[in-house]
Amino acid sequence: PAALGEFLKGEELDPENPLIQNSLGLAYFVRSRLDLSEKHFKRAIVLDNKFTEARNNLGRTYLELKKYNEAIEVLQIAARDLVYVEPEKTYSNLGMAYFQKQDFAKAEEYFYKSLGLQRKNCFTLTFYGRTLYEQGQFKKASESLDQAIKTCKSQKYEDPYYYSALSYMKAGKREQAVARLEEGLEV
């Protein structure tokens, strides 16, 4: 709340500042005011059409709003910015948009690109594994999800255990499936 108040004061002083608009978008995003988040990210992009961070944040907001086509459209533009310093975020967000649309081949492509740039991302590793699982690639899925388990340990994230167990079960490896479920219960 204090940060939001400061950003609102900043907006009063400099309403044409795209950094302030992006910061307001983030502040509203974490407070689950996605309508206001969307408004401020769009405003930041209008003020600076090359503001890829704001564009990526808008894409993430669209994911939360379940506007997957809009997310893909805005994230594709962000992905073309060759000087953006965190493209792995854009690729991961694109992977999630395609995952939600159940276009698992495209989701796999973008999650893989993201992991090529940032190998230790708990969320991306988990969804990459889930994407492989959805495509019936159970051996590869279990390997990816096992890597997610190692990466996610400190976050106490249960999903990779569950989906790893499912992958092992589908691959006919019942003992490993049971072991993953038991490990997941300890998280």
Side-chain angles (χ1 to χ4, degrees):
L4 179 58
E6 292 302 314
F7 292 137
L8 289 169
K9 287 178 191 173
E11 183 183 35
E12 284 178 26
L13 297 171
D14 191 0
E16 303 299 307
N17 186 318
L19 291 171
I20 292 172
Q21 295 300 319
N22 185 60
S23 295
L24 278 165
L26 288 169
Y28 284 122
F29 184 89
V30 298
R31 304 218 14 114
S32 298
R33 287 299 312 270
L34 300 178
D35 56 328
L36 294 173
S37 182
E38 177 184 8
K39 172 187 159 191
H40 287 283
F41 291 139
K42 283 182 172 181
R43 180 76 178 130
I45 294 165
V46 166
L47 294 170
D48 180 358
N49 192 40
K50 296 187 185 303
F51 196 173
T52 302
E53 181 69 25
R55 199 174 301 279
N56 188 57
N57 291 335
L58 178 60
R60 182 73 178 99
T61 302
Y62 283 149
L63 287 173
E64 292 297 314
L65 291 168
K66 299 181 181 4
K67 296 180 177 182
Y68 304 122
N69 291 330
E70 289 92 335
I72 289 168
E73 183 180 326
V74 89
L75 291 166
Q76 288 287 6
I77 295 168
R80 289 193 292 267
D81 183 352
L82 298 178
V83 296
Y84 180 46
V85 295
E86 297 180 299
E88 70 278 0
K89 289 181 179 180
T90 302
Y91 293 141
S92 185
N93 286 336
L94 277 162
M96 182 52 70
Y98 283 111
F99 184 90
Q100 295 299 334
K101 289 181 60 136
Q102 298 186 346
D103 185 341
F104 299 116
K106 279 291 227 192
E108 178 187 355
E109 173 187 338
Y110 283 107
F111 286 135
Y112 187 79
K113 281 184 176 184
S114 179
L115 291 169
L117 298 170
Q118 174 55 274
R119 189 78 193 138
K120 300 286 185 184
N121 184 301
C122 173
F123 172 84
T124 304
L125 274 168
T126 300
F127 274 92
Y128 179 67
R130 287 188 61 190
T131 299
L132 295 169
Y133 175 85
E134 294 294 339
Q135 295 179 92
Q137 299 176 44
F138 304 121
K139 184 178 185 303
K140 282 178 65 178
S142 62
E143 291 168 0
S144 177
L145 290 159
D146 286 349
Q147 183 63 39
I149 288 168
K150 292 176 191 167
T151 302
C152 302
K153 259 211 194 310
S154 65
Q155 298 171 26
K156 301 195 182 289
Y157 185 46
E158 298 166 345
D159 284 12
Y161 292 95
Y162 176 73
Y163 288 101
S164 177
L166 288 179
S167 297
Y168 278 121
M169 188 61 85
K170 289 283 190 174
K173 297 183 177 186
R174 187 179 186 286
E175 286 183 28
Q176 286 97 329
V178 170
R180 283 295 175 261
L181 285 175
E182 288 174 351
E183 289 171 26
L185 291 172
E186 294 174 11
V187 173

